[in-house]
Amino acid sequence: MEIVLSGIRPTGNLHLGNYFGALQNFIKMQQEHCCYFFIADLHSLTTHPKSADFHENVKNVLAEYLAAGLDPEVATIYIQSDVPEVSELYVLLNMLAYQGELERTTSFKDKVRKHSDNVNAGLLTYPVLMAADILIHRAAKVPVGKDQEQHLEMTRTFARRFNNLYGVEVFPEPTAFNFGNELVKIPGLDGSGKMGKSEGNGIFLVDDEKTVTKKIMHALTDSGPTAPNSPMPEPIRNIFTLLEVVSTPGMVAYFREKYNDCSIRYGDLKKQLAADTWKKIAPIHERIAEIKANNVYLRKVTQSGALKARESAQATLKEVKKAIGFRAF
Ligand code: TYM
């Protein structure tokens, strides 16, 4: 059976980008495939979270992911640091990752530009740890958003390099997966770039109806089209991209037509977007607090997840170490 894996860094609440870019696809697959889902707490250490917040961050995303529909009865759900085999494979793969290619990674260059005060080695080797996450279970499909495409490409490179160097077929080459074929980038509300965790840019699954509506009504727009069929500037295109995700094709076509004949009123467009967004997230929103309060359940989920994940991880690591030449005396 095909192995499917996905993960998230616990660095804030879950937003629509996480949900529609990755999680939704994973949830659709969990019944038919052998699925692993994990919280990348080691990855989140690159930005030095306060130790008082670290556990709470993990708990938040875990509860939100369960509320969104991850089913621990069918998928293996675990915390990355509960599976030490991942860290061991990371060390081994680091020997096959070259300084030049790591320095050329877009996400690394981005971080260097934005946080020049904290360019640590964990950031540089971030794609290697991500490759270890994926290869430890020999996953074939990885449902992620467009922002992770390059990391997936690097994972394929490390897998191929390992197989070639040791003359084995231990690792398959995983591919990114989205049901709509194209990998999606969910835009933010501030006019440019992807939806992320920053203030004013994202809609979170923990946001209530009032907050969702307020955020969308404040999303950046302009004064409207001045000529029929004029090209859409980025902030408007972004509103339409969000509408495509949460509304019906008929509704999107209706507003497109209004844009093209210059009769559109952005207030109406945003009101529709707010109503349809809330319709999608309300059922998830309602479950979050209840799950978060149930520590016994969360412990059970993570303990049984870690057990299952370690079993699969140990089997892979055994083959990896044999191929490299580790032998017992
Ligand atoms: P992270 O934590 O930034 O995001 C988790 C998932 O959400 C997707 N995503 C988006 N998709 C579309 N539009 C957006 N605006 C958007 N924002 C986030 C991401 O593509 C991702 O799938 N490096 C990963 C975490 C990770 C991982 C892995 C993922 C570590 N190891 C192994 C898959 C497999 C990350 O930072 O995602």
Side-chain angles (χ1 to χ4, degrees):
M1 204 197 290
E2 205 158 47
I3 295 171
V4 180
L5 170 140
S6 196
I8 182 170
R9 271 171 309 139
T11 50
N13 295 105
L14 218 71
H15 53 73
L16 296 190
N18 301 135
Y19 184 69
F20 291 111
L23 180 62
Q24 188 181 238
N25 290 304
F26 187 86
I27 288 172
K28 282 184 198 153
M29 300 173 93
Q30 64 182 352
Q31 301 292 343
E32 281 90 48
H33 296 83
C34 176
C35 286
Y36 292 88
F37 194 90
F38 71 99
I39 312 239
D41 58 344
L42 296 173
H43 273 113
S44 78
L45 293 176
T46 53
T47 54
H48 304 167
K50 287 198 193 85
S51 40
D53 299 337
F54 189 53
H55 175 73
E56 196 62 19
N57 294 346
V58 173
K59 187 172 171 180
N60 274 341
V61 283
L62 177 63
E64 289 172 20
Y65 266 56
L66 290 167
L70 276 193
D71 184 352
E73 298 293 325
V74 291
T76 299
I77 302 168
Y78 62 98
I79 314 296
Q80 187 185 34
S81 61
D82 281 344
V83 182
E85 291 78 10
V86 171
S87 300
E88 194 170 348
L89 182 59
Y90 165 62
V91 170
L92 300 174
L93 291 178
N94 261 320
M95 313 306 165
L96 303 181
Y98 295 104
Q99 182 189 351
E101 64 189 339
L102 294 174
E103 281 174 350
R104 280 193 300 275
T105 314
T106 311
S107 59
F108 178 70
K109 288 195 289 192
D110 245 28
K111 288 278 187 304
V112 171
R113 212 175 26 245
K114 289 188 192 143
H115 307 283
S116 52
D117 54 329
N118 180 25
V119 184
N120 58 64
L123 269 182
L124 183 69
T125 57
Y126 186 108
V128 189
L129 182 54
M130 187 157 156
D133 290 327
I134 298 166
L135 298 177
I136 198 78
H137 300 300
R138 290 177 269 195
K141 294 232 156 59
V142 187
V144 284
K146 195 163 175 54
D147 57 328
Q148 299 297 322
E149 211 173 10
Q150 191 181 29
H151 290 155
L152 249 300
E153 181 64 47
M154 294 174 81
T155 301
R156 285 193 285 275
T157 303
F158 301 143
R160 211 176 308 125
R161 217 172 265 165
F162 184 93
N163 288 344
N164 288 343
L165 182 63
Y166 297 111
V168 289
E169 279 298 324
V170 172
F171 296 128
E173 290 185 31
T175 52
F177 186 80
N178 189 288
F179 277 98
N181 297 329
E182 294 268 305
L183 291 187
V184 296
K185 181 180 109 176
I186 304 293
L189 297 174
D190 51 359
S192 68
K194 66 169 181 171
M195 185 173 285
K197 281 142 192 169
S198 58
E199 210 40 53
N201 163 303
I203 297 170
F204 301 96
L205 299 183
V206 287
D207 288 344
D208 60 17
E209 186 174 8
K210 220 171 122 196
T211 312
V212 169
T213 309
K214 198 169 135 206
K215 281 183 175 177
I216 292 178
M217 296 314 284
H218 280 103
L220 189 78
T221 43
D222 57 17
S223 52
T226 48
N229 301 313
S230 43
M232 273 186 203
E234 193 183 356
I236 311 303
R237 227 171 37 233
N238 290 352
I239 304 270
F240 271 92
T241 302
L242 290 169
L243 194 71
E244 276 164 15
V245 169
V246 297
S247 280
T248 59
M251 192 58 79
V252 177
Y254 169 81
F255 279 105
R256 261 191 208 290
E257 216 176 292
K258 293 231 156 227
Y259 181 87
N260 284 334
D261 68 15
C262 301
S263 66
I264 194 161
R265 289 183 5 194
Y266 288 147
D268 294 344
L269 170 66
K270 288 176 173 180
K271 248 188 235 156
Q272 188 67 46
L273 177 61
D276 292 342
T277 302
W278 180 246
K279 227 187 273 166
K280 286 266 181 193
I281 69 174
I284 303 174
H285 175 90
E286 275 155 24
R287 286 191 291 267
I288 295 174
E290 190 191 326
I291 295 178
K292 221 184 135 186
N294 195 344
N295 235 346
V296 175
Y297 174 64
L298 294 178
R299 188 179 316 126
K300 202 174 125 217
V301 168
T302 49
Q303 282 181 350
S304 81
L307 249 144
K308 284 193 275 176
R310 288 198 72 183
E311 197 182 313
S312 145
Q314 280 164 1
T316 304
L317 202 55
K318 199 169 158 197
E319 281 197 40
V320 166
K321 291 176 83 169
K322 186 171 159 225
I324 294 175
F326 287 96
R327 300 279 185 276
F329 284 97

